[in-house]
Amino acid sequence: MISANLTIMYRQMVTNSRTARLFLGQPYRVGDRPNPGAGSIENVPHGTVHIWTGDPTPPNYEDMGNFYSAARDPIFYAHHANVDRMWSIWKTLGDNRQDFTDTDWLNASFIFYDENAQAVRVRVRDCLDTTKLGYTYQNVDLPWINARPTLRSTTSRVTSASSSTPQATNESDTMSFPLPLDKVIRTQVSRPKKSRSKSEKDCEEEVLMIEIEVQRDDKYVKFDVYINDEDDGYPKNTQMKAEYAGSYVNVPHRHTHDDGNNNNNGAGHKMTTTLRLGLTSMIEDLGADDDDTINVSLVPRSGMDYIITNNVKIEFDNHV
């Protein structure tokens, strides 16, 4: 479990965070559709820690396991402080990692109450340097920084499906979307560019885009993504291998309430979003630089009755 967690952190902090859009998430401007796509750390481990520390006994999975009640849990502050620490670390990892320079982002503001209960407007641009805010994070070892996953040898591949994982659809076919993600989906995805030089890779990150619809945002939903994986089964320990690309997690937005007319409005809403995963380093590790296509496997882990896969494709994201 420790090895798997370190590998997941390597994926999210290193290979899935080579651009600001991958790490911080997609732009969300006035007039845009909600939920354009979370950043790597917000998705995992941020979302999974919420679920792991939520209480399954109350009706709405309070405290940390539900969006509306999470901040009531004492661990919430420590959890989000650690996410903020990951942001500080991310800026030191090189490869042109830097915050957005878009003025829409820098000038975006939020209203908070200060210690005197007075409303104060705080802009994003004022929060980017923690030293100006009066704090820095202690330098500690980062065991995940060297947890680069290794390729599984063909002799050690699992040949029988895990009883806890749904069976796969037709292997390596180009699927026709949309499709419910109620079992493993394998699809072949064309690569618009291949055999790129180092300078080209330094300018643009190859990104896998998985467009999904969560039928109910009040449900815990999770699925894993694998690239060029030949296994028929997907036990969870395969997350520490090179073929594992990342995961999508939805923290439930669940709050049963009454609208005053004895009508229960607690049912969830549909949510359309996109999971984006960095491919450049992965494809190098898999020896697939010169391939015209990659095989993508989507493996549902939870909430499989509530996920629709709308499209799977590759695009490119500028590093600056």
Side-chain angles (χ1 to χ4, degrees), residues 10-19 21-23 26 38-40 97 196 204-210 225-227 242-247 275-286 294 313-317 319:
Y10 179 90
R11 272 277 172 257
Q12 301 302 82
M13 287 295 295
V14 180
T15 63
N16 279 339
S17 74
R18 286 165 52 88
T19 71
R21 284 175 182 256
L22 284 173
F23 182 74
Q26 292 297 297
S40 60
R97 285 176 171 85
R196 295 191 299 152
E204 285 187 322
E205 175 72 11
E206 191 168 358
V207 178
L208 180 67
M209 302 182 60
I210 304 169
V225 182
Y226 296 82
I227 305 297
E243 292 86 351
Y244 170 70
S247 301
L275 172 65
R276 292 170 170 84
L277 302 172
L279 289 179
T280 301
S281 296
M282 272 200 74
I283 286 177
E284 288 178 352
D285 291 345
L286 295 173
I294 58 171
K313 61 182 179 180
I314 289 176
E315 290 189 354
F316 290 83
D317 187 15
H319 275 265

Side-chain angles (χ1 to χ4, degrees), residues 206-217:
E206 191 168 358
V207 178
L208 180 67
M209 302 182 60
I210 304 169
E211 299 172 357
I212 63 169
E213 183 177 284
V214 179
Q215 298 293 294
R216 290 184 57 171
D217 64 357

Side-chain angles (χ1 to χ4, degrees), residues 77-179:
Y77 179 84
H79 175 43
H80 277 263
N82 195 42
V83 172
D84 185 61
R85 184 175 72 94
M86 293 298 108
W87 187 2
S88 295
I89 293 170
W90 174 76
K91 299 178 187 182
T92 70
L93 297 180
D95 290 334
N96 295 317
R97 285 176 171 85
Q98 59 182 2
D99 290 327
F100 291 121
T101 57
D102 192 322
T103 53
D104 276 359
W105 186 71
L106 293 171
N107 293 330
S109 63
F110 303 86
I111 302 296
F112 298 96
Y113 288 101
D114 66 11
E115 67 276 14
N116 299 314
Q118 299 298 310
V120 177
R121 182 180 299 276
V122 179
R123 287 182 168 79
V124 169
R125 66 166 64 249
D126 300 324
C127 303
L128 301 181
D129 184 348
T130 63
T131 59
K132 293 181 179 179
L133 299 176
Y135 69 93
T136 57
Y137 289 105
Q138 180 182 3
N139 290 325
V140 297
D141 291 338
L142 303 174
W144 46 263
I145 201 73
N146 295 315
R148 189 168 189 153
T150 56
L151 277 171
R152 281 178 286 173
S153 64
T154 53
T155 56
S156 65
R157 291 184 182 275
V158 179
T159 56
S160 60
S162 167
S163 59
S164 62
T165 303
Q167 298 294 308
T169 59
N170 296 334
E171 184 173 358
S172 299
D173 289 341
T174 300
M175 309 301 293
S176 296
F177 296 102
L179 281 174

Side-chain angles (χ1 to χ4, degrees), residues 186-210:
R186 285 177 171 168
T187 185
Q188 195 172 79
V189 181
S190 297
R191 298 177 63 209
K193 302 176 185 179
K194 66 174 186 176
S195 307
R196 295 191 299 152
S197 66
K198 183 181 183 303
S199 62
E200 289 174 320
K201 293 176 182 178
D202 288 342
C203 290
E204 285 187 322
E205 175 72 11
E206 191 168 358
V207 178
L208 180 67
M209 302 182 60
I210 304 169

